[in-house]
Each structure stands twice: as structure tokens, then as C-alpha cells.
Amino acid sequence: MAAFRTAAAVVDALPEGELDRRIRTRTLTDLRGIGPKTGAAIVQAHAGEVPEYLARLEEAYSELVPLADDVAEFRSALRGDLHTHSDWSDGGSPIREMAEAAIALGHEYMALTDHSPRLTVANGLTAERLERQLDVVAELNEELSPFRILTGIECDIHLDGSLDQTDELLGRLDVVVASVHSDLRAESAAMTARMLAAVANPHTDVLGHCTGRLLIPREQREGRRQRPRPESAFDAEAVFSACVEHGTAVEINSRPERLDPPLRLLSLAVELGCSFSIDTDAHAPGQLDWQDNGCERAVETGVDVDRVVNTWTADELLDWTAG
């Protein structure tokens, strides 16, 4: 991109008529700062065409290009966020700060979904720590009312499809997001069976970042760096159909490095009749406004706003998760 900015600056400095002359005499690349690739793009743009190089970039990275149409209206319908983390697991901020940031954004509620114990790299919560967190959340809810912190967990899905917490504790939580975090390169049949079992679990409310992909590198705790990661292989039609059958919402994960599900799978989930939860997976207060990313993708794929569970009031949402 630096080369294109340099070339644009060279063209801007040319006297009137010089660009036309250079294009006509094919001497554009004689100018310092303009090479064959940037020169070709300039010629095509000057002729009113979309430069081939730009078109290829847009095709390759279209999922990262933000949309504008109707996104603000869709975003305004969201009442909360059902996937957030605090410094109790791998987030960087206390629960109160996350809640206050959500209030500042106009949210009515926020589900606190710190990691479950198996994910030790993310400082997952043991049953004892989760019970202590429930007490802390209860106290904060008294102070922050009418805003509500919904109790929750991002629960790791074991290889056999079971959830990484006791049934008793899962039954006490408002929201359970179930996600795969390990053995992401498993064969499709094994991954499909694993996800189907988790989706059918009566405690599961939301299927989190279903493909597990990472589009760009990301920094983790203690300086760890995760490389980009391809999608997990699974039978998406079977999994999304099970989500419809069991009343489990498919998460539209809004993290820039995830944007999960990919658009083709999100379109399939829409076609099959899934419900959705547009979440940030925020690990810091400033990440709570990433919901715009998910709304862009929802608008692009034709998600009906009424099928997004976090457009509902807290009472409506809790009636749904209890059911």
C-alpha cells in the first residue's frame, strides 16, 4: 500500500495535462516512484475502470471490508452483548469496568462469559472461582441497576461434546456460550459429532465462533502470539440444523480477527432458519463497540433482526435461555 500512496503523490504533483501525455506516450513508469504495477493501476483508474489489482484485493479480502448500508439501524436494535471476558480469565479489565463501558454504549445488559477451567492458557475459572464470581456479579447488579450483568460462561466443548463445567453450575447461569478451543484440525466427522452433542446439550444457549478461524495474528496473555488459522472442518448444514432443532443461537462473532462464521456459512445458517447472537467476544472495554462488525455481516447476509436474540429485553432473553 505504501507504493500506491507514493505513486498517488507523484501523480498529484504533475502539471495539468502531463498525466495524459505520460499515459499516451507510455512513459508513466519513467517517473520515480511509479512502477509497472502502480502504473497499470493509474492507467486503469484514469480510464474510469476499477484497477485489476484493486479488484483482486477486494475479492480476496471482501470479508474485511466494512459495509455501511442499514448497519446503524441494525446496531441500534441490539440491547446487549452475550460474549464478554474480564480479568477473572483472559480479559484485561475488571468486571465493573466492562459493565460501565457497556452502559456508556447504551446497552441494557452484558453477559459475563469468562472461560471454563479446561482452558488453562486463558486462566479458565474453576467451579470454586465461578461461584465466587457469581457473588461479585450479584453485588454489582445491585449497584448498577437497571443495567444487568448476566451470569455466564464461555464453556469449552470437550472432544466427546460434553461441556467443561458441572451441570449444577451451568444450570445456575443465565447464558452459556459453548465453543471449541482444542483439536481444531480434527477430521470433519469427529468435529461434527462433537459440535452436535454440544448444541443438543440443554445448557447450551449460544454456539460460539463455530469455525475457530483466525484471519490475522493476535496477541495473547504474557506476550504469546497466535498465527492465522484456517476454519475447522465440519458438516455445517447438520450443525446449523441441530441449532434450529434445539433452540441454540449461532454466534456472529465480531472480533476483527475472527469474523466467524464466514459469510458463506452465515448465509447457510440464515437459509436454514437459525437464531443468532451478535457478540464482540470483548476482552477489554474498548472492544465492546466491535458489534458493528457483526451487524455489517448480518445486513450483508439478510439476517432478520427479530432472529437476533440480543435484540430482546433481558426478561425475554432469560425466558428463552431458561427454556
Side-chain angles (χ1 to χ4, degrees):
M1 289 300 103
F4 283 88
R5 285 194 292 270
T6 299
V10 171
V11 169
D12 284 344
L14 292 176
E16 185 176 351
E18 180 65 6
L19 177 58
D20 287 330
R21 188 185 74 79
R22 290 279 182 177
I23 292 174
R24 187 174 61 254
T25 59
R26 299 185 180 180
T27 57
L28 192 58
T29 54
D30 291 348
L31 295 171
R32 185 171 181 173
I34 298 181
K37 187 178 293 184
T38 53
I42 290 168
V43 171
Q44 291 163 358
H46 191 64
E49 304 167 1
V50 176
E52 293 176 5
Y53 183 76
L54 177 59
R56 289 197 299 271
L57 284 179
E58 288 180 340
E59 181 177 359
Y61 298 103
S62 62
E63 293 188 355
L64 300 180
V65 178
L67 304 174
D69 297 345
D70 302 324
V71 171
E73 181 180 354
F74 204 108
R75 171 66 184 83
S76 68
L78 299 183
R79 297 174 181 265
D81 192 330
L82 301 188
H83 187 169
T84 69
H85 297 274
S86 74
D87 59 2
W88 280 64
S89 64
D90 62 340
S93 299
I95 300 170
R96 177 188 289 275
E97 289 186 14
M98 295 296 291
E100 289 174 344
I103 293 169
L105 287 172
H107 287 177
E108 299 173 15
Y109 53 82
M110 173 196 83
L112 179 63
T113 54
D114 280 320
H115 287 285
S116 60
R118 185 181 186 278
L119 210 62
T120 54
V121 69
N123 193 29
L125 272 62
T126 62
E128 293 75 17
R129 291 180 65 215
L130 179 55
E131 290 206 56
R132 291 203 302 274
Q133 187 183 79
L134 296 182
D135 293 335
V136 171
V137 169
E139 293 177 6
L140 284 171
N141 275 332
E142 289 187 8
E143 297 178 36
L144 299 175
S145 180
F147 180 82
R148 181 164 182 177
I149 304 170
L150 305 179
T151 59
I153 191 170
E154 184 182 11
C155 206
D156 202 39
I157 301 173
H158 290 148
L159 292 180
D160 63 358
S162 61
L163 301 186
D164 185 39
Q165 193 47 273
T166 67
D167 279 345
E168 188 275 331
L169 264 178
L170 292 175
R172 291 171 57 187
L173 300 175
D174 295 325
V175 177
V176 174
V177 177
S179 307
V180 174
H181 291 105
S182 60
D183 295 279
L184 293 166
R185 307 313 306 142
E187 292 185 356
S188 177
M191 183 64 79
T192 301
R194 181 181 183 183
M195 295 173 75
L196 288 175
V199 164
N201 190 306
H203 294 302
T204 300
D205 301 309
V206 179
L207 176 63
H209 49 69
C210 63
T211 77
R213 72 176 184 175
L214 290 178
L215 296 167
I216 54 178
R218 69 171 181 176
E219 303 296 330
Q220 289 187 295
R221 291 165 61 91
E222 301 172 357
R224 295 185 182 91
R225 184 175 174 84
Q226 276 189 310
R227 293 179 296 178
R229 183 171 61 217
E231 303 168 21
S232 295
F234 61 96
D235 184 339
E237 184 169 352
V239 170
F240 293 154
S241 295
C243 287
V244 175
E245 178 184 354
H246 297 286
T248 299
V250 174
E251 178 179 70
I252 301 177
N253 189 291
S254 303
R255 289 193 69 86
E257 74 272 26
R258 287 194 182 277
L259 300 179
D260 202 358
L263 291 177
R264 74 180 194 287
L265 294 186
L266 183 51
S267 295
L268 175 62
V270 172
E271 179 183 336
L272 291 172
C274 290
S275 313
F276 300 95
S277 179
I278 300 178
D279 302 324
T280 60
D281 194 354
H283 287 64
Q287 297 174 4
L288 286 167
D289 62 3
W290 280 348
Q291 276 183 320
D292 288 355
N293 297 334
C295 291
E296 289 164 0
R297 300 170 73 74
V299 168
E300 184 170 1
T301 53
V303 172
D304 188 330
V305 70
D306 292 333
R307 284 162 60 182
V308 178
V309 299
N310 48 328
T311 65
W312 304 344
T313 66
D315 287 342
E316 290 170 335
L317 180 71
L318 292 176
D319 285 344
W320 170 73
T321 61

